[in-house]
Amino acid sequence: MITLKLNGKDHPLDVTEDMPLLWAIRDVAGYNGTKFGCGMGLCGACTIHIDGAPARSCITPIGSVKGQNISTIDALHVDPVGQVVQKAWLDTAVAQCGYCQGGQIMSATALLKTNPDPSDEQIEEAMAGNICRCGTYNRIKTAIRQASTHLKEAKA
């Protein structure tokens, strides 16, 4: 039995320590916002936050996150920065098919929490490895810039 601190709640899960975190989140804990993409940590669809840092849940064994806070897209609506990022995503109509967007939004939120005013190069670096098969990269960058502007205005 492993207790996972997931989206602000303790979830005791009867799983092995080598189970990928993605499957524990989706199949055992029942949060289905985090998506399976490649299974190798290359596409970013499964991006979550581990103690606030973006991580690929498909290659992270659940045993390696004991005692850490795990956040998924399913609970991002209660995060102030996550709310701003999600609104920017909607305002700029980023999503086409939408499959990768949970991971994209999680990576963007992590970026803006550590760097609320990123340059284009910093945005590209933070979002590297998040693949969008629909090619909405320019809209993603626009949404991140818009969220950054809103966060700066809120602090002023």
Side-chain angles (χ1 to χ4, degrees), residues 91-133:
D91 290 348
T92 56
V94 171
Q96 283 186 18
C97 84
Y99 196 83
C100 71
Q101 296 308 307
Q104 301 276 2
I105 290 169
M106 293 299 284
S107 291
T109 300
L111 166 65
L112 292 174
K113 283 184 167 198
T114 59
N115 182 358
D117 190 20
S119 67
D120 284 347
E121 293 78 22
Q122 290 167 322
I123 292 171
E124 289 168 9
E125 182 179 322
M127 300 306 290
N130 282 88
I131 297 171
C132 176
R133 289 173 179 91

Side-chain angles (χ1 to χ4, degrees), residues 3 9 18 48 52 62 77 85-86 88 100 102 112 116 126 134 136 150:
T3 299
K9 298 176 186 172
D18 62 344
I48 55 158
I62 192 169
H77 65 281
V85 172
Q86 287 176 321
C100 71
L112 292 174
C134 298
T136 64
H150 288 294

Side-chain angles (χ1 to χ4, degrees), residues 13-118:
L13 306 175
D14 188 14
V15 298
T16 61
E17 291 198 7
D18 62 344
M19 175 183 243
L21 186 54
L22 173 65
W23 301 122
I25 290 168
R26 289 184 57 83
D27 295 346
V28 183
Y31 292 93
N32 61 7
T34 305
K35 303 297 182 206
F36 174 79
C38 66
M40 297 182 290
L42 302 172
C43 74
C46 69
T47 302
I48 55 158
H49 294 167
I50 300 174
D51 286 338
R56 305 297 194 246
S57 63
C58 71
I59 58 170
T60 303
I62 192 169
S64 71
V65 297
K66 287 181 187 175
Q68 296 177 293
N69 293 307
I70 310 301
S71 300
T72 70
I73 190 74
D74 303 282
L76 201 61
H77 65 281
V78 299
D79 180 291
V81 175
Q83 290 172 358
V84 171
V85 172
Q86 287 176 321
K87 182 170 180 354
W89 240 252
L90 292 171
D91 290 348
T92 56
V94 171
Q96 283 186 18
C97 84
Y99 196 83
C100 71
Q101 296 308 307
Q104 301 276 2
I105 290 169
M106 293 299 284
S107 291
T109 300
L111 166 65
L112 292 174
K113 283 184 167 198
T114 59
N115 182 358
D117 190 20

Side-chain angles (χ1 to χ4, degrees), residues 138-152:
N138 288 333
R139 285 188 277 182
I140 289 168
K141 193 183 294 184
T142 298
I144 293 170
R145 282 194 219 110
Q146 178 180 318
S148 173
T149 298
H150 288 294
L151 290 170
K152 287 186 285 188

